[in-house]
Amino acid sequence: MTMSMESELKPISKSDHKPLLKPDPSSPTRPDLQDLETKCAAYVRHDVYGTMGRAQIPWTEKILLGFALITLLPLRVALSLTILVLYYLICRVCTLFSKPSGDDDEQEDYAHMGGWRQRVVVKSGMFLSRALLFVIGFYSISESFDFSEAERSDQSNEAERPGAIVSNHVSYLDILYHMSASFPSFVAKRSVGKLPLVGLISKCLGCVYVQRESKSSDFKGVSGVVNERVREAHQNKSAPVMMLFPEGTTTNGDYLLPFKTGAFLPKAPVLPVILRYPYQRFSPAWDTISGVRHVILLFCQFVNHLEVTRLPVYCPSQEEKDDPKLYAENVRKLMANKGNLIMAEIGLAEKREYHAALNGNNSMPTVLRQKDD
């Protein structure tokens, strides 16, 4: 659910050379890899590069990868940085002499500044996000609308404005697509707001910042901000729409995890969007693979594909308004059905456990086995 490319999992660096977990009958505390992959199927990679992107690849793939490393990779990195710096400069100019919204420094944003400044930030942000996807290899994006004729008429008449967009979460690329399509606000780690270049951009998006590991009253404060922003977007056409990933983490794209209720607590309609990344060689899904390795392999893939299915705005019944868990589950079932996704009853805790096991961690902390809230 976060905008940051920083993984929920510990980054893989020194452990990259370690062998993947293998069955060890003499160690009862160390789960069998096959059993663990069955349990954590939503995080298992099935592309040419295999688990954690460290599988032995055929020589033909090595030739393609080697060629891309010396041609595509430097070109795409240079163009991507150029686009990022350009958009940062646009945001910097548009926010000069403009006071950010928000009660404190932790939640300040420029998404409510209005006028020509906001129009420039939004339009240039949508264009440059799509340009960045193009540079990475998403030359065309397939978008479809799963509407009946009656539903299509309702959508065109804007009978109900959604307070939030809800989407399955497959990759950090999801953020770029949604920026290019509707430029919504996201929930991001607090550290994102302090990053060079990206920090200001996230404030122009109107991101709501959260300290993910915190279990203090801060969570209630952030939840309250999200609720207010969702209600505001539902009631005010000029307010930025919230974009929420209710699964709370990324999967391999074939599964749909249980939904958190944050997007559904305000009782406002939501717009479900389903993302799929078809692939033949490297999967753009960001599951159990390090960020640096993922970016390199992604940039070395000549063509990437993205399929988007937009569903009608989902208006909750009174029963769903009274029970956010029911509301969340019904939207999840709809998205799983329309997107041909498998519903998995696991979460971030299992993902961390799987990642730790793959790195050969015999004594996984108890906290990894605890369900995330």
Side-chain angles (χ1 to χ4, degrees):
M1 224 172 109
T2 65
M3 180 181 173
S4 174
M5 271 192 57
E6 179 186 354
S7 175
E8 317 94 330
L9 313 174
K10 293 182 179 179
I12 305 166
S13 54
K14 295 180 180 178
S15 61
D16 257 3
H17 66 278
K18 293 181 179 179
L20 300 181
L21 174 66
K22 293 183 173 61
D24 185 1
S26 64
S27 178
T29 62
R30 195 173 185 182
D32 182 277
L33 178 59
Q34 191 173 17
D35 292 342
L36 196 57
E37 286 189 340
T38 299
K39 173 185 175 183
C40 303
Y43 311 122
V44 178
R45 295 187 70 82
H46 301 289
D47 61 6
V48 173
Y49 291 88
T51 305
M52 300 178 78
R54 291 160 53 190
Q56 290 295 324
I57 57 177
W59 65 268
T60 51
E61 185 65 25
K62 291 179 181 179
I63 292 175
L64 288 173
L65 181 60
F67 179 75
L69 281 171
I70 60 177
T71 55
L72 271 184
L73 181 62
L75 177 63
R76 284 178 167 174
V77 169
L79 290 175
S80 298
L81 289 176
T82 300
I83 291 173
L84 178 62
V85 171
L86 174 61
Y87 188 50
Y88 168 80
L89 293 175
I90 292 173
C91 291
R92 177 56 67 190
V93 170
C94 289
T95 55
L96 283 175
F97 313 112
S98 179
K99 184 179 179 181
S101 304
D103 298 331
D104 52 57
D105 293 340
E106 300 294 346
Q107 295 295 347
E108 64 181 18
D109 74 82
Y110 291 98
H112 294 78
M113 57 186 171
W116 67 268
R117 297 170 183 263
Q118 185 176 14
R119 288 196 296 273
V120 171
V121 167
V122 171
K123 294 298 182 182
S124 61
M126 294 175 71
F127 174 78
L128 291 176
S129 297
R130 183 64 188 92
L132 183 52
L133 285 170
F134 185 89
V135 166
I136 297 173
F138 292 90
Y139 304 122
S140 64
I141 296 176
S142 172
E143 295 183 285
S144 61
F145 299 85
D146 197 328
F147 298 164
S148 65
E149 288 302 319
E151 290 168 335
R152 190 181 298 274
S153 175
D154 287 342
Q155 301 298 308
S156 62
N157 294 331
E158 296 189 5
E160 282 285 3
R161 174 177 165 81
I165 301 170
V166 293
S167 171
N168 61 317
H169 202 8
V170 184
S171 174
Y172 50 83
L173 297 165
D174 303 347
I175 296 164
L176 282 178
Y177 167 74
H178 287 295
M179 284 180 63
S180 71
S182 52
F183 205 78
S185 300
F186 296 87
V187 174
K189 292 183 181 180
R190 187 167 294 166
S191 57
V192 172
K194 301 176 181 179
L195 292 174
L197 305 180
V198 176
L200 178 61
I201 293 173
S202 71
K203 291 179 181 179
C204 287
L205 278 162
C207 287
V208 176
Y209 301 110
V210 59
Q211 188 67 36
R212 183 163 197 163
E213 287 74 21
S214 173
K215 295 297 180 181
S216 65
S217 58
D218 166 76
F219 174 78
K220 295 180 180 178
V222 170
S223 178
V225 172
V226 171
N227 286 348
E228 290 175 6
R229 295 282 293 276
V230 171
R231 291 193 187 99
E232 179 190 15
H234 174 49
Q235 297 167 0
N236 182 2
K237 188 176 180 180
S238 63
V241 175
M242 284 297 301
M243 168 73 243
L244 297 168
F245 298 107
E247 293 171 285
T249 189
T250 53
T251 68
N252 60 15
D254 295 326
Y255 290 79
L256 200 61
L257 306 179
F259 281 4
K260 308 291 189 296
T261 57
F264 310 96
L265 288 172
K267 305 177 182 181
V270 297
L271 174 64
V273 178
I274 303 164
L275 306 180
R276 298 297 296 260
Y277 293 86
Y279 65 90
Q280 291 182 341
R281 296 168 52 234
F282 175 74
S283 168
W286 194 29
D287 31 53
T288 47
I289 184 172
S290 68
V292 173
R293 185 183 296 272
H294 188 280
V295 169
I296 291 175
L297 294 177
L298 177 73
F299 278 40
C300 286
Q301 184 152 260
F302 297 92
V303 181
N304 290 296
H305 302 278
L306 172 58
E307 295 177 354
V308 182
T309 302
R310 292 179 172 272
L311 303 182
V313 173
Y314 189 106
C315 299
S317 64
Q318 187 57 50
E319 185 181 8
E320 290 171 327
K321 290 180 180 180
D322 295 337
D323 187 352
K325 289 185 177 180
L326 176 65
Y327 184 9
E329 186 62 15
N330 286 345
V331 173
R332 180 186 177 220
K333 288 178 179 177
L334 175 67
M335 291 176 65
N337 179 49
K338 296 294 186 179
N340 195 27
L341 300 171
I342 304 168
M343 297 176 68
E345 305 306 319
I346 56 176
L348 181 57
E350 287 81 3
K351 185 175 188 178
R352 286 174 168 166
E353 179 182 357
Y354 179 50
H355 188 268
L358 289 175
N359 278 283
N361 188 344
N362 292 340
S363 54
M364 290 174 284
T366 304
V367 67
L368 295 180
R369 298 192 179 95
Q370 294 176 351
K371 292 288 183 182
D372 49 310
D373 295 334

